């Protein structure tokens, strides 16, 4: 069940640089998508399929909770584990960005209104602007959209030293 190759984990510092450039370029939906994928440990397909109705923000419940929840449509492990899964974002800075961008969407609107290819191309563009490699280098895979999930899970493990938390958050 192990994948043939693992995604290179995206460090938090790289995420912050990607967010800064994306916001400077006016790519707010892209920046919020990066923040949500990294902080909530989302697979790219889970994010691409999400609509605003699937995302519960603190502002939706009068700020009664300090986190966001995303209901996952057709989770990858639906046949071996829970059919209904939820991703949680509770990192304050990332949550603030996600709330600012997605809070104004209508319930039926997609969180990412473009194609997956557009998201991959934007990631490559931002990485190139930061002089980050976009191709395999010395046998190490370049960062890609899958790196967001592995980077977020690595960060949670480093901060909490709690493997069970990472396992639960990763669903």
């Amino acid at each position: 069940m192990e994948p043939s190759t693992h995604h290179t984990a995206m460090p938090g510092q790289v995420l912050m640089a990607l967010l800064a450039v994306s916001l400077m370029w006016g790519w707010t939906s892209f920046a919020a998508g990066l923040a949500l994928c990294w902080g909530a440990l989302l697979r790219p397909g889970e994010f691409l399929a999400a609509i605003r109705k699937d995302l519960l923000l603190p502002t939706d419940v009068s700020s009664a909770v300090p986190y966001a929840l995303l209901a996952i449509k057709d989770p990858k492990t639906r046949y071996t584990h829970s059919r209904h899964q939820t991703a949680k974002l509770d990192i304050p800075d990332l949550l603030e960005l996600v709330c600012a961008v997605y809070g104004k969407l209508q319930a039926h609107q997609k969180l990412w209104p473009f194609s997956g290819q557009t998201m991959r191309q934007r990631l490559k563009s931002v990485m190139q602007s930061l002089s980050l490699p976009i191709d395999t280098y010395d046998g190490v895979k370049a960062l890609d959209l899958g790196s967001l999930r592995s980077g977020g899970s690595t960060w949670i493990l480093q901060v909490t030293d709690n493997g069970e938390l990472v396992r639960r958050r990763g669903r």
Side-chain angles (χ1 to χ4, degrees), residues 35-77:
L36 186 60
C37 286
W38 193 89
L41 311 185
L42 294 178
R43 293 178 179 90
E46 294 170 344
F47 170 69
L48 293 172
I51 60 174
R52 175 59 174 92
K53 184 173 68 171
D54 301 329
L55 181 64
L56 177 73
L57 298 173
T59 53
D60 297 337
V61 291
S62 303
S63 298
V65 294
Y67 52 82
L69 297 174
L70 179 69
I72 307 297
K73 293 180 184 175
D74 296 324
K76 179 181 175 182
T77 57

Side-chain angles (χ1 to χ4, degrees), residues 24-43:
M24 286 191 320
W25 289 357
W27 291 352
T28 55
S29 184
F30 176 71
L34 293 178
L36 186 60
C37 286
W38 193 89
L41 311 185
L42 294 178
R43 293 178 179 90

Side-chain angles (χ1 to χ4, degrees), residues 99-129:
C99 288
V101 174
Y102 296 138
K104 58 188 174 202
L105 294 180
Q106 300 290 322
H108 67 279
Q109 288 182 287
K110 291 187 71 123
L111 299 184
W112 180 250
F114 309 107
S115 69
Q117 181 63 22
T118 301
M119 189 161 190
R120 283 188 293 279
Q121 289 297 10
R122 286 194 179 184
L123 179 61
K124 283 185 178 183
S125 296
V126 175
M127 286 177 51
Q128 284 178 318
S129 76

Side-chain angles (χ1 to χ4, degrees), residues 16 19 23 28 31-33 35-36 39 55 57-59 65-68 89-104:
M16 292 299 126
L19 294 179
L23 292 172
T28 55
L36 186 60
L55 181 64
L57 298 173
T59 53
V65 294
Y67 52 82
L89 174 64
D90 60 358
I91 303 168
D93 295 340
L94 301 182
L95 181 60
E96 188 174 335
L97 174 60
V98 167
C99 288
V101 174
Y102 296 138
K104 58 188 174 202

Side-chain angles (χ1 to χ4, degrees), residues 122-160:
R122 286 194 179 184
L123 179 61
K124 283 185 178 183
S125 296
V126 175
M127 286 177 51
Q128 284 178 318
S129 76
L130 293 167
S131 299
L132 293 170
I134 59 169
D135 295 312
T136 300
Y137 180 76
D138 278 346
V140 178
K141 284 180 61 176
L143 297 174
D144 59 14
L145 293 176
S147 300
L148 295 165
R149 179 177 164 86
S150 58
S153 60
T154 300
W155 181 82
I156 291 173
L157 186 59
Q158 289 173 340
V159 169
T160 66

